[in-house]
Amino acid sequence: MAERIELAIPGVNPFLPHLATLKWTLDLTPDTKLLNVELLDPEVRKGFQYKPGQFAFVSAFGIGEAPFGISSVAYRDEGLEFAIRRVGTVTAGLHELEPGDTLGVRGPLGNFFPLEDYRGRHILIIGGGIGMAPLRPVINTIVDHRADYQRLTIINGARTPRDLVFQNEFDAWARSPDTELVLTVDRGDEGWTGRVALVPDVVTELAPSPENTVAIICGPPIMIRFTLERLKGLGFEDHQIVTTLENKMKCGLGKCARCNVGDRYVCKDGPVFTFQQISQFLEEVG
Ligand code: FES
């Protein structure tokens, strides 16, 4: 009997990309662009419902596809957005596209940040570099529903000031009530008057209380490793710290076994996990 494949959109083959048009792009940093795309088929567009944390494969036809966290929020209805850093052939192909060009989008895939469960809690967001891409919809959802959450603290780090993504949204985030946006860079430049410090050191300096707080972190593995240590030093427990993983993915549908953590698939069981879940999966397989 054929194995059942869960369909992201009922009636639509999840292995085939949906055709989409590139509406516009925005240079976020010298090597990162925001792509705003519109799915061509109105029925697919309607069915493409997603939540912060989910991802999709984006394809440059004739080159290939790669997975990206979705950076927009569905309810704003402003198009699907992906922040894409130029790191290889697929991302280079996507960077070369011009508004009006056709590309492919396969998804939405994976689980999401359970933001409804975090209502009434303080939210600490820690992002490094392009790790901010899947965190932007989390921030914007909280900013748009500000009364549902307690204090919002955003720590955003990058190598240099030019590498800070979503700079055009910093004012809106910082103006949101009871919100602190803390920017930090590894290396400043002549115009930078802000912090020059590594993200884990900023966490130690700010010393956020773990009381009724959820920490959501995403960034380079080394940043996550040291940030995790610092958070635990402040009294955060594994179940209060959430991340989104980026293991090598090919199918995105739990079929190719390329993306496992323990015996779970990042593409299907994740990519969003608490550190309690990650330790448990790793313990289960010894
Ligand atoms: S990417 Fe194929 S199983 Fe996860």
Side-chain angles (χ1 to χ4, degrees):
M1 197 171 69
E3 207 178 347
R4 196 174 71 86
I5 293 171
E6 279 177 36
L7 303 181
I9 301 177
V12 174
N13 182 340
F15 288 100
L16 289 180
H18 307 300
L19 292 180
T21 303
L22 180 64
K23 302 295 280 184
W24 51 263
T25 66
L26 175 70
D27 289 328
L28 294 175
T29 75
D31 63 6
T32 303
K33 278 188 181 189
L34 187 69
L35 272 58
N36 179 287
V37 311
E38 182 179 69
L39 297 162
L40 288 187
D41 182 330
E43 281 306 305
V44 169
R45 207 154 59 225
K46 210 165 87 196
F48 200 103
Q49 293 300 325
Y50 59 93
K51 294 193 172 182
Q54 288 197 281
F55 68 99
F57 281 81
V58 182
S59 40
F61 292 120
I63 302 176
E65 65 170 13
F68 300 97
I70 302 173
S71 279
S72 43
V73 282
Y75 62 83
R76 284 192 181 179
D77 210 14
E78 294 170 344
L80 263 176
E81 291 179 350
F82 299 93
I84 297 178
R85 183 163 167 235
R86 190 179 188 125
V87 288
T89 49
V90 174
T91 53
L94 292 169
H95 271 222
E96 295 305 318
L97 295 176
E98 300 281 349
D101 285 349
T102 302
L103 64 164
V105 177
R106 193 160 67 80
L109 298 167
N111 68 353
F112 48 86
F113 292 103
L115 294 184
E116 292 181 4
D117 297 347
Y118 302 161
R119 286 183 179 159
R121 302 179 73 177
H122 303 293
I123 309 290
L124 170 62
I125 293 188
I126 306 172
I130 193 64
M132 284 297 286
L135 300 181
R136 176 194 186 218
V138 175
I139 296 169
N140 282 334
T141 300
I142 294 170
V143 165
D144 289 345
H145 302 87
R146 197 62 201 86
D148 291 347
Y149 303 88
Q150 300 291 318
R151 184 160 186 72
L152 171 63
T153 306
I154 305 163
I155 302 174
N156 180 10
R159 283 170 305 179
T160 72
R162 290 179 351 144
D163 297 311
L164 285 163
V165 290
F166 307 125
Q167 298 192 26
N168 54 324
E169 290 175 86
F170 288 170
D171 281 350
W173 294 350
R175 272 202 316 268
S176 182
D178 201 13
T179 298
E180 185 179 15
L181 172 65
V182 181
L183 303 174
T184 186
V185 295
D186 300 350
R187 278 192 323 277
D189 61 21
E190 59 292 338
W192 180 253
T193 53
R195 274 187 172 77
V196 178
L198 298 175
V199 165
D201 293 337
V202 175
V203 170
T204 301
E205 182 194 327
L206 296 181
S209 163
E211 184 71 32
N212 194 30
T213 302
V214 178
I216 303 177
I217 65 180
C218 189
I222 186 112
M223 183 208 92
I224 292 189
R225 197 174 118 214
F226 288 109
T227 300
L228 189 60
E229 274 176 19
R230 303 296 178 90
L231 287 172
K232 290 171 97 161
L234 291 167
F236 280 79
E237 295 186 26
D238 281 351
H239 66 87
Q240 291 176 270
I241 311 172
V242 190
T243 192
T244 170
L245 298 180
E246 272 196 10
N247 284 22
K248 288 226 175 304
M249 292 192 209
K250 191 161 172 64
C251 70
L253 294 160
K255 302 291 161 196
C256 72
R258 287 263 299 246
C259 67
N260 63 307
V261 179
D263 62 356
R264 308 299 158 105
Y265 294 128
V266 170
C267 66
K268 196 160 172 282
D269 301 308
V272 173
F273 296 106
T274 63
F275 277 93
Q276 184 180 39
Q277 290 173 310
I278 295 171
S279 335
Q280 199 180 319
F281 304 153
L282 294 174
E283 255 171 44
E284 281 169 9
V285 293

